[in-house]
Amino acid sequence: MRAAVYRRFGGPEVVRIEEVPKPVPQAGEVLIKVMASTVSVADHRMRARDLPKGLGFFGPLVLGVFAPRKKILGMDVTGVVEGVGAGVRRFSPGDAVVGLTGVHFGGHGEYVCLKQDAALVAKPAEMSFEDAVALVFGGHTVSECIRRCPIKPGDAVLVNGASGAVGSAAVQVAKHFGAVVTAVTSAGNAELVRSLGADLVIDYAETDFAASGERYDVIFECVGNAPFERAGAALKPGGTLLLVIVDLEGMLNAKKNGRRSVTRVLPISFTPTSADVAFAIDLAQAGALRPVIDRTYELDQIVEAHRYVDSGRKRGNVVLRVAG
Ligand SMILES: NC(=O)c1ccc[n+]([C@@H]2O[C@H](COP(=O)([O-])OP(=O)(O)OC[C@H]3O[C@@H](n4cnc5c(N)ncnc54)[C@H](OP(=O)(O)O)[C@@H]3O)[C@@H](O)[C@H]2O)c1
């Protein structure tokens, strides 16, 4: 099968299209013919070994010491089940599915095997493969945030990094649950985040949200520049800082910082479940979550896709068409 493979860490050009063996589903696994995936910031982090401060020590254990452990990137996937291993009951050949390959990656190849109990659900027939896969990365992350910190009608919610894959989902989900949403973004993305439901928009080049005197019930930190030391001042007593991106120090100090300031500081771990994927797909079907697709690339354009994601300026998601 054809796949985008990287055999050393580095810039976008380390990724190449190669012929590699097609995977064979083992017991409990489904073989998926991949229609689409996304090129996400997670792919960038793996490829470039770009981990948050302090986590570099653990990096080699996860990513590989001298060469990448997982040679085919792609953390999310949508496609059609082509075969199943022994004991698979949840899916049958011909089923259209969408989900997360997660830390196994592999979405940037024509076929991938996933365990039947992975974060995988049926794709609604009326939803395109591109739309479905663009819901997963941000949608499942926000689902985990909401599980740990339910949002109530009237809550003041701030989303830092509102135009990214996670931020664009967070704005819509918070709005769906009745929050008054403030989006922090650049001027160029103000219209986008308003169209997603943001009530107020802060241009980060003009205003520092943390120094403005406004207080929030919930802050989604999706950029990496608003740790507790900065964002804590903008939390109401009892408010919650959801650290979607956090460095080692922020992780270790989260509980202590929360106790001291009578707030909650929650580092968001990466533990996707099929319920998290279903959350995103169901909300989309209900019209409450729309996939934000910035650009779509073909598998052969994988280097360009990585280059664009590396810019740090993508809006929502970059979709990669893999088959067909
Ligand atoms: N914990 C988890 O399980 C988990 C899951 C998913 C993602 N993450 C992490 O969460 C972070 C966000 O992921 P993502 O996929 O949403 O990233 P992304 O899509 O790459 O975010 C790109 C967006 O960030 C915005 N941005 C850049 N600098 C900004 C600033 N100073 N203030 C506000 N917005 C800014 C850009 O908007 P402008 O062009 O307008 O600046 C761009 O639209 C990443 O670090 C990722 O590793 C963690």
Side-chain angles (χ1 to χ4, degrees), residues 39-42 44-45 50 52 75 137-138 140-142 144-145 159-169 183-190 192-193 202-205 209 221-225 230 243-246 267-272 294 309-318:
V39 181
S40 71
V41 67
H44 157 84
R45 288 195 181 287
D50 175 14
M75 216 182 216
F137 189 80
H140 97 271
T141 306
V142 173
E144 179 171 345
C145 293
V159 180
N160 188 38
S163 58
V166 180
S168 61
V184 181
T185 190
S186 62
N189 285 327
L192 168 72
V193 298
I202 294 177
D203 173 359
Y204 60 77
F209 78 84
E221 152 58 335
C222 312
V223 175
N225 65 3
R230 177 177 168 219
L243 293 168
V244 175
I245 174 77
V246 61
I268 299 303
S269 55
F270 184 81
T271 48
D294 184 346
V309 172
D310 275 19
S311 74
R313 297 269 87 85
K314 78 175 166 68
R315 292 150 53 103
N317 300 273
V318 166

Side-chain angles (χ1 to χ4, degrees), residues 30-39 43 73-81 96-102 105-115 118-123 128-137 277 281 320 322-323:
V30 295
L31 172 68
I32 300 165
K33 181 179 164 100
V34 179
M35 302 305 288
S37 179
T38 71
V39 181
D43 298 316
L73 294 169
M75 216 182 216
D76 44 26
V77 71
T78 184
V80 178
V81 174
V97 291
V98 56
L100 279 152
T101 54
F105 289 83
H108 297 175
E110 286 179 323
Y111 293 90
V112 69
C113 284
L114 282 182
K115 291 212 175 346
L120 192 66
V121 302
K123 181 191 76 66
S128 72
F129 288 107
E130 284 87 351
D131 279 356
V133 83
L135 291 163
V136 173
F137 189 80
V277 179
I281 300 294
L320 186 70
V322 179

Side-chain angles (χ1 to χ4, degrees), residues 33 41 146 285 288 292:
K33 181 179 164 100
V41 67
I146 299 289
Q285 282 204 290
V292 179

